[in-house]
Amino acid sequence: MPTIEEILKAMSTVQEPELGRDLVVLNMVKDIEADGSRVSLKIELTTPACPMKEKMLAEAEAALKRLPGVSETKVEFTHRVLGQKPVPEKGSLPGVKNILAVYACKGGVGKSTVAANLAASLALDGCSVGLFDADIHGPNIPLMMGVNGRPEGVDGKLIPLKAHGVKIMSWGFVADEGAPLIWRGPMVHGAVKKLLQDTQWGELDYLVVDLPPGTGDAPLTLIQIVPLAGVVVVTTPQDVALLDGARGIQMFRKFKVPVLGLVENMSGFTCPHCQKETQIFSKGGGEKEASRLKIPFIGALPLDPDIVKAGDTGVPIVIGQPKTSQAKAIRWMAQIVAGQISVANMAAE
Ligand SMILES: Nc1ncnc2c1ncn2[C@@H]1O[C@H](COP(=O)(O)OP(=O)(O)OP(=O)(O)O)[C@@H](O)[C@H]1O
Ligand SMILES: [Mg+2]
């Protein structure tokens, strides 16, 4: 039967690929048990949405099986999600570890679609997730997540509604239906801040914020209210050229908010009848531009009628059609983003 030291030595040959160090140095190996030829242990991940989970599992099992006398292994995952570093001069949301915004320099490019799917995807991976709809003028999240109703008020706080494993708050839940919104900058700023802070989010690993269209005020408001772990930028191929000039990305950089990834949405269209791909808005520019701007390119989503249907019926494609390549692409994006947040938080510890 191997000793604990021998097991740890074996596990020190397994790297956490994103953090670039071994599991023992990172103190990720927990609950080691050896019983005859059987060894079990847990790997404590920094996020359950770790994109390298399967790789680590295979390597850990192989390393244990190389130990003399070991024939049976049981490697399981647990997690302890690290939170972003607090910024004392900014408010924080109690219990919320990481706030992640979804931004685009233009309207209608798929921010809400990406935000809803990222949130649902992180929840599918076992993270505790919130989704905040910061679009006061056109809140789309209730429709896209298939949830509506009046949030309950408890002790002066609003209890978020829940759908697809995600806690959700939207102006759409609290505004009077049909009431026209002709608010200007400062009032919108106040309303976003109040709704975000007056929501009883509870313990969240990630709060995804769906920003409204607009290059300036909306992200600035958010940056001023709370510290952000990062931002995901959505663009369509034809708007790629706007990225550089848009105030948004420059502003995120100025305020030291990491730009975690670029998504090229509505990238190419495959005809469901003849399977032929058409580059309606061209394709691929996002990847080039991301590399030029030194933003990680985290994937492309095609123009897809199923994505529209998913949005209109309130079931994000990662939930409703999990086996499609679109859903898999989004799951991967969410994991890459969660991984990057972990790396940054680990470095800051
Ligand atoms: N990859 C896609 N394929 C097809 N339709 C899409 C795709 N992504 C988004 N859409 C559709 O495009 C429309 C706009 O998307 P969405 O509301 O997510 O954009 P947005 O950037 O949040 O818009 P706004 O600026 O108004 O907030 C929606 O009807 C949505 O279903
Ligand atoms: Mg939107």
Side-chain angles (χ1 to χ4, degrees), residues 104 106-114 135 138 140 144 210-213 265-266 301-305 307-308 311-312:
K106 235 184 88 179
V109 300
K111 292 177 294 297
S112 302
T113 304
V114 169
D135 195 341
N140 287 135
M144 288 188 175
D210 177 26
L211 286 170
N265 192 25
M266 308 188 189
L301 290 176
L303 194 67
D304 173 15
I307 293 186
V308 184
D312 289 350

Side-chain angles (χ1 to χ4, degrees), residues 267-326:
S267 165
F269 171 73
T270 303
C271 172
H273 307 293
C274 69
Q275 310 305 321
K276 199 167 167 241
E277 195 179 344
T278 310
Q279 311 302 335
I280 295 178
F281 302 131
S282 88
K283 186 183 168 182
E287 189 161 7
K288 265 193 227 143
E289 193 62 8
S291 125
R292 198 178 69 76
L293 294 172
K294 301 194 168 53
I295 302 171
F297 182 73
I298 55 172
L301 290 176
L303 194 67
D304 173 15
D306 283 344
I307 293 186
V308 184
K309 211 190 306 156
D312 289 350
T313 52
V315 184
I317 195 158
V318 291
I319 306 270
Q321 290 164 279
K323 295 209 163 76
T324 56
S325 57
Q326 290 83 321

Side-chain angles (χ1 to χ4, degrees), residues 11 28 39 94 121 148 172 194 235 254 264 313 328:
M11 292 305 288
M28 287 169 70
V39 175
S121 186
N148 220 330
K194 188 150 175 50
T235 182
K254 185 168 150 218
E264 183 173 294
T313 52
K328 286 180 187 160

Side-chain angles (χ1 to χ4, degrees), residues 11 49 54 61 73 113 131 176 203 212 216 221 227 229-230 234 241 261 274 283 299 304 336:
M11 292 305 288
E54 297 311 317
E61 284 186 336
T73 60
T113 304
L131 176 58
D176 283 328
E203 297 290 318
T221 294
V234 182
C274 69
K283 186 183 168 182
D304 173 15
I336 292 291

Side-chain angles (χ1 to χ4, degrees), residues 35-56:
D35 181 9
S37 61
R38 187 175 187 278
V39 175
S40 69
L41 56 79
K42 292 192 175 124
I43 299 176
E44 187 182 71
L45 300 169
T46 54
T47 173
C50 170
M52 300 296 166
K53 236 169 23 183
E54 297 311 317
K55 184 172 190 289
M56 276 190 276

Side-chain angles (χ1 to χ4, degrees), residues 1-68:
M1 187 166 102
T3 63
I4 300 290
E5 286 68 34
E6 284 165 338
I7 293 171
L8 281 173
K9 198 164 167 217
M11 292 305 288
S12 71
T13 64
V14 181
Q15 294 276 308
E16 205 303 353
E18 288 187 297
L19 299 172
R21 280 179 284 165
D22 74 67
L23 299 189
V24 177
V25 166
L26 290 168
N27 197 22
M28 287 169 70
V29 183
K30 308 281 173 186
D31 303 341
I32 299 176
E33 280 175 30
D35 181 9
S37 61
R38 187 175 187 278
V39 175
S40 69
L41 56 79
K42 292 192 175 124
I43 299 176
E44 187 182 71
L45 300 169
T46 54
T47 173
C50 170
M52 300 296 166
K53 236 169 23 183
E54 297 311 317
K55 184 172 190 289
M56 276 190 276
L57 179 69
E59 288 181 10
E61 284 186 336
L64 292 176
K65 289 216 167 101
R66 279 196 294 270
L67 287 169

